[in-house]
Amino acid sequence: MVRSSTMPSPNPHDKVKNTWKRDWARNKTVYFVFVPVAIYIIVTHYLPMFGIVMAFQDFSLSKGVFGSAFVGLNNFVELFTGDAFLNAFKNTAIMAAFSLVLGFFPGLIFALMLSEVRNKTFKRTIQMISYLPNFVAAVVVTNLVKLFLGNDGPLTALLTALGLPQQNWLANANPPVFWLIHTFMGIWQSLGFGSILLMSAIANINGDIVEAAAIDGATRMQRILRITIPCIAPILGMSFVLNIAISFRTIGGNVLLLYMPQTYSVADCLYTYTHRMAFGSSPDMGLSAASNLFQSVLGTVLLIGGNVLAGKINPDARLF
């Protein structure tokens, strides 16, 4: 007679514990190196999120977060019913649309043009020159714009020679003058740096396919339209999704340095509105926190919506 014996089933917790032990023994140094980074991210990104409660308070610096009165959604009601906020939201939406539509294609065209350059020295030189504006401080960039578009600036002189009136173009409050200035300034700053990802994707395209198309008689434009662009479509989709997500968050830094009382009606945006509410002559920290929280929620909604839209067009373009 053979006795049947049953083996005890392994405990999944022990398996996980052993896996962590092996991983710790193998990557102990990596974990120690990551500790300062983790502390930095927690201190500078997660702990400040507690300040969200200010959006629901009549916040006072003297009383602090724990002493200020809780007012519920009053700050948001005041925010959404104020004429200044509605105007800032409108301007932000318009400038974001300008940057998204007009600013997306120059980087693609620039990457396609550089990919056709065969002289490596010339190609690298152009790339290096195009990257430089991205590393120039915003204060320097905006001062250059003021210099070139001022009443006696060289670009103003060129526009005057073309028949347009001589003026300080940054003080022109007629739409869409300021919006176009802001858009083209952003294109100049990000053109080279924004094309890095596209250049990498183009470089990874199988050269045999392009060569076979050329042998079959396809022109350069046909190879770009029917091979290059379809091959980098997922990267284009991901870039577009990211641009949608950050469009509302990136509008403002340069505007704060460029706008003036004459152009408040067309230049005031959510960023400058929030900054003015926090650090203006009569600050309202609660209203400023409510505006900032609204921008964060809106950015998240745009990210999710853009991701869904990109996924319907091309499943490979989804970020998550």
Side-chain angles (χ1 to χ4, degrees):
M1 182 177 180
V2 180
R3 294 182 178 180
S4 60
S5 60
T6 58
M7 297 295 294
S9 59
N11 190 341
H13 297 288
D14 293 337
K15 184 177 180 181
V16 173
K17 186 177 180 181
N18 292 333
T19 302
W20 273 107
K21 284 184 177 180
R22 289 195 301 269
D23 187 66
W24 171 259
R26 186 183 302 114
N27 302 310
K28 186 186 304 182
T29 305
V30 177
Y31 283 110
F32 279 124
V33 171
F34 178 70
V35 167
V37 179
I39 294 175
Y40 170 79
I41 293 175
I42 292 172
V43 171
T44 60
H45 289 77
Y46 287 96
L47 290 182
M49 290 178 66
F50 179 72
I52 288 175
V53 299
M54 294 168 54
F56 306 94
Q57 292 178 319
D58 182 12
F59 183 78
S60 171
L61 285 174
S62 60
K63 297 179 181 178
V65 175
F66 298 101
S68 299
F70 183 78
V71 295
L73 298 177
N74 288 357
N75 286 327
F76 291 94
V77 173
E78 182 179 353
L79 183 72
F80 296 137
T81 55
D83 293 336
F85 173 81
L86 295 177
N87 181 65
F89 180 81
K90 179 199 71 174
N91 292 333
T92 304
I94 293 174
M95 284 189 279
F98 271 60
S99 298
L100 188 63
V101 176
L102 298 180
F104 183 76
F105 295 102
L108 172 61
I109 295 172
F110 182 71
L112 292 172
M113 291 173 63
L114 276 184
S115 66
E116 296 296 324
V117 176
R118 295 293 174 258
N119 189 315
K120 291 185 178 180
T121 302
F122 178 75
K123 183 176 182 178
R124 290 172 182 173
T125 302
I126 295 300
Q127 284 180 303
M128 183 186 68
I129 294 174
S130 66
Y131 297 161
L132 290 178
N134 186 74
F135 302 102
V136 178
V139 175
V140 177
V141 174
T142 52
N143 280 329
L144 286 174
V145 173
K146 291 177 181 178
L147 177 65
F148 276 76
L149 290 172
N151 194 57
D152 299 319
L155 282 180
T156 300
L158 176 62
L159 294 174
T160 303
L162 295 175
L164 296 174
Q166 183 176 0
Q167 59 182 302
N168 179 1
W169 286 96
L170 287 173
N172 190 321
N174 296 321
V177 175
F178 186 90
W179 302 333
L180 290 175
I181 292 174
H182 178 270
T183 301
F184 288 124
M185 181 177 62
I187 292 173
W188 176 73
Q189 278 186 280
S190 60
L191 179 65
F193 193 80
S195 65
I196 292 177
L197 186 63
L198 297 178
M199 287 288 297
S200 302
I202 293 173
N204 288 326
I205 296 176
N206 191 338
D208 295 337
I209 301 176
V210 180
E211 184 178 352
I215 294 173
D216 289 340
T219 64
R220 180 171 298 180
M221 183 58 67
Q222 288 175 330
R223 295 197 298 269
I224 291 175
L225 294 177
R226 299 184 182 182
I227 297 177
T228 304
I229 293 181
C231 286
I232 65 173
I235 301 297
L236 289 174
M238 287 187 288
S239 298
F240 191 73
V241 171
L242 289 175
N243 286 337
I244 291 176
I246 66 176
S247 58
F248 271 74
R249 301 294 295 179
T250 55
I251 302 297
N254 290 332
V255 174
L256 186 63
L257 298 170
L258 283 177
Y259 80 155
M260 56 188 70
Q262 298 96 309
T263 56
Y264 276 173
S265 60
V266 293
D268 194 25
C269 59
L270 293 178
Y271 181 95
T272 55
Y273 174 85
T274 303
H275 184 274
R276 191 168 61 253
M277 290 298 102
F279 306 107
S281 56
S282 53
D284 189 335
M285 300 297 290
L287 197 61
S288 175
S291 176
N292 200 29
L293 179 58
F294 169 74
Q295 292 179 68
S296 300
V297 172
L298 182 60
T300 303
V301 171
L302 289 174
L303 175 62
I304 296 174
N307 185 65
V308 172
L309 178 62
K312 290 183 178 181
I313 298 174
N314 188 335
D316 295 330
R318 294 178 66 99
L319 291 175
F320 50 86

